[in-house]
Amino acid sequence: GNLMVKHGYAETRRQAIQEFIDQLHFKAEYFRPEDVITGILDSGGIPVLAHPTYGSGDQLIIGDELDGRLRRLKEYGIKGVEACYSGFADKMRDELLDYAERMDFYVTAGSDYHGTNKLIAIGDTGLDYSREMPAGLERFLADVKKYNA
């Protein structure tokens, strides 16, 4: 949207989104989670579920549904969960850290930064640096160093 305004295709970002971007419809491609996880593992990567409580649209996945989702993905080979995320309340982060500990998951942190068009600052993960670093995050960082050695 911002580039369309910059180059004169739209007068405002809102117009660019509503009149152009939202009008695009592509053939939906669906990849099964187990296939994606296998592909990541086969290529030497570490599959981690980003912002695990968010579903399609405004869907919020919590409680038994979240537990089932994480257990199913663990069976497929997922290794971690993003528990520290700019959009999570403390309670949500703490619940995900508990899941990570119980399921022996790595923990990752993300900001979901998309540039200045969002109010999220780069590196704003919601991680409270006055607290002890989550064990799963320490393990993840240590193992990533091994991959890059």
Side-chain angles (χ1 to χ4, degrees):
N2 292 339
L3 283 173
M4 293 179 78
V5 172
K6 180 179 178 179
H7 293 285
Y9 294 103
E11 290 187 27
T12 65
R13 183 173 171 270
R14 181 182 196 96
Q15 178 192 18
I17 291 170
Q18 289 178 342
E19 293 183 20
F20 298 100
I21 297 171
D22 284 351
Q23 303 307 313
L24 293 173
H25 299 284
F26 298 99
K27 179 181 172 194
E29 294 223 19
Y30 178 78
F31 297 95
R32 296 177 345 172
E34 55 269 37
D35 295 335
V36 173
I37 292 167
T38 299
I40 293 169
L41 290 168
D42 288 350
S43 65
I46 302 171
V48 175
L49 181 60
H51 30 77
T53 61
Y54 297 154
S56 217
D58 291 337
Q59 181 186 22
L60 186 62
I61 299 170
I62 56 175
D64 290 342
E65 189 177 3
L66 178 60
D67 185 74
R69 177 188 229 192
L70 294 176
R71 289 183 188 286
R72 185 177 65 253
L73 293 174
K74 183 173 177 144
E75 287 177 17
Y76 298 152
I78 202 156
K79 302 294 182 198
V81 65
E82 182 182 42
C84 303
Y85 173 70
S86 62
F88 288 162
D90 291 349
K91 184 176 181 179
M92 185 76 68
R93 180 199 59 229
D94 292 344
E95 182 178 344
L96 286 164
L97 289 172
D98 286 343
Y99 275 111
E101 190 172 320
R102 281 186 279 135
M103 295 184 172
D104 196 32
F105 279 154
Y106 288 123
V107 170
T108 62
S111 67
D112 205 22
Y113 176 74
H114 286 248
T116 56
N117 58 322
K118 287 179 92 175
L119 297 176
I120 299 168
I122 192 167
D124 178 10
T125 63
L127 188 60
D128 182 355
Y129 293 99
S130 67
R131 295 174 45 171
E132 187 174 319
M133 185 179 290
L137 181 54
E138 285 185 357
R139 270 194 353 269
F140 178 73
L141 294 172
D143 287 353
V144 166
K145 284 181 185 177
K146 291 178 195 174
Y147 276 92
N148 292 321

